[in-house]
Amino acid sequence: ILVEPVSNSKVVAIAQEEARLSVLDLAAARASPPLPIQDPEVSRSLTKYAEDRKKALVASGSGSPIIPTQFLVVHLAASDGAGRLYCSISPYDRRVGALVLVVSEQVKVLGTMRLALPDFPGLRFKLPLAMKVASDGVVFVFAGGQMAWYSLA
């Protein structure tokens, strides 16, 4: 589960494997029920990971996945502080870039972004490890401290 502040009094809890969001209103001491992100790419990821999970369970013979982190539909998330959440959806496709969905507190998809993934020579793990949103852009942070900046303009 990822937890990301979206305003001074609200945080969003993200069930990464299920792509469900719940808004926690700290001032009112209440939480919304978990709601799914409704997007065709999220649906494709959920289907793909359900199939991959079944294959991993069969391959392991133990009843638990071999690499559970490979099944995270929402890989990373960051907020702009104005109630919008930016969610990177996996799996990543290096040919077309990372898909980032802009999602409201009401779990409505407000927009999508395709962000090209840079190729840092010598970097073994090619996927971003963290994401942050500034007033005018999105930053992916990679292993070794490399960063890629994407304008929101």
Side-chain angles (χ1 to χ4, degrees):
I1 290 181
L2 290 174
V3 178
E4 187 66 30
V6 291
S7 71
N8 288 336
S9 64
K10 293 180 181 178
V11 297
V12 173
I14 305 156
Q16 294 171 274
E17 286 189 12
E18 302 162 353
R20 291 181 175 272
L21 280 61
S22 180
V23 178
L24 310 170
D25 186 331
L26 304 175
R30 67 171 181 251
S32 70
L35 298 173
I37 300 173
Q38 300 289 336
D39 183 84
E41 290 294 328
V42 169
S43 296
R44 277 190 274 285
S45 291
L46 286 167
T47 300
K48 179 193 180 334
Y49 286 148
E51 293 167 2
D52 289 352
R53 188 177 290 109
K54 285 179 188 175
K55 290 176 189 172
L57 290 171
V58 169
S60 72
S62 68
S64 62
I66 297 168
I67 307 171
T69 57
Q70 72 184 4
F71 307 122
L72 301 179
V73 175
V74 178
H75 178 235
L76 300 169
S79 170
D80 63 4
R84 289 179 298 271
L85 192 65
Y86 292 70
C87 300
S88 69
I89 305 301
S90 68
Y92 292 101
D93 184 339
R94 293 197 64 78
R95 293 170 294 154
V96 296
L99 173 66
V100 175
L101 300 178
V102 183
V103 182
S104 72
E105 288 181 34
Q106 295 76 31
V107 196
K108 303 289 184 217
V109 176
L110 304 173
T112 61
M113 305 168 65
R114 278 284 179 190
L115 308 179
L117 294 170
D119 187 20
F120 295 113
L123 193 62
R124 276 188 33 199
F125 192 69
K126 305 281 186 183
L127 301 178
L129 300 177
M131 178 172 64
K132 294 297 176 193
V133 178
S135 61
D136 58 350
V138 174
V139 177
F140 275 155
V141 181
F142 296 83
Q146 291 94 334
M147 292 186 259
W149 171 264
Y150 307 92
S151 175
L152 291 176

